[in-house]
Amino acid sequence: MPLAVCATPIGNLDDVTLRVLQELREADLVLAEDTRQTRKLLDRHGIDARLLSYHDHNEAKRTAELVPRLEAGEGMALVSDAGLPGINDPGARLVAAALEAGVPVTVLPGASSVETALVASGLVGERYQFVGYLPRGERALVELAAIA
């Protein structure tokens, strides 16, 4: 699989799926939001992988560099520091570019901090709405009120 989008643990490094570990082992290149954080995960699970940074500040440039490599068949795993790339973390741009180029993309699920917090709160209901990370301070209340 040329591009595997891999969910990473949101806390305990052992909360990672077997499929994600397999993709990380088999990837020619692991794209990481923070290579230092990803190295901790890889070391914890005995994975020796080539890492390349892929974050908010280099996402556009890296995407342009990586799509031709994906088209050539190079296998890449994309991870963020915690959670699923593309959900409030870098990755959506690369996924869209890969799909547009006809590159196969697979998404490997993992823990969700939103759902974990919802269940832990005891307030589980039939529906909830995730609106992303709100800004700090009074502006957050204004934005939240606009959504509600």
Side-chain angles (χ1 to χ4, degrees), residues 108-139:
L108 291 89
S112 166
S113 60
V114 173
E115 290 154 354
T116 301
L118 186 63
V119 171
S121 74
L123 301 174
V124 178
E126 292 183 21
R127 54 183 282 233
Y128 70 91
Q129 184 174 7
F130 178 68
V131 295
Y133 299 125
L134 294 171
R136 295 176 187 241
E138 289 184 32
R139 191 170 141 228

Side-chain angles (χ1 to χ4, degrees), residues 2-3 5 31 54 58-72 76 78 86 90-105:
L3 180 60
V5 181
L31 309 172
Y54 186 88
N58 71 5
E59 191 174 12
K61 180 181 178 204
R62 284 276 199 247
T63 297
E65 296 169 358
L66 295 169
V67 169
R69 293 170 65 178
L70 287 165
E71 289 177 305
M76 296 181 198
L78 173 65
R93 182 185 307 234
L94 181 60
V95 170
L99 291 171
E100 186 175 314
V103 173
V105 175

Side-chain angles (χ1 to χ4, degrees), residues 8-122:
T8 54
I10 57 175
N12 188 318
L13 294 179
D14 288 335
D15 291 340
V16 62
T17 70
L18 296 174
R19 286 182 61 209
V20 166
L21 293 176
Q22 180 181 346
E23 287 292 340
L24 294 172
R25 277 188 193 93
E26 294 176 358
D28 298 311
L29 184 62
V30 175
L31 309 172
E33 183 178 13
D34 182 338
T35 57
R36 297 166 298 181
Q37 288 299 112
T38 301
R39 179 57 58 203
K40 291 176 191 175
L41 176 67
L42 297 176
D43 288 349
R44 170 71 181 93
H45 295 284
I47 298 171
D48 183 30
R50 258 181 59 220
L51 289 171
L52 182 68
S53 66
Y54 186 88
H55 48 71
D56 287 332
H57 304 290
N58 71 5
E59 191 174 12
K61 180 181 178 204
R62 284 276 199 247
T63 297
E65 296 169 358
L66 295 169
V67 169
R69 293 170 65 178
L70 287 165
E71 289 177 305
E74 191 170 345
M76 296 181 198
L78 173 65
V79 300
S80 60
D81 292 347
L84 187 61
I87 304 293
N88 285 315
D89 285 322
R93 182 185 307 234
L94 181 60
V95 170
L99 291 171
E100 186 175 314
V103 173
V105 175
T106 188
V107 179
L108 291 89
S112 166
S113 60
V114 173
E115 290 154 354
T116 301
L118 186 63
V119 171
S121 74

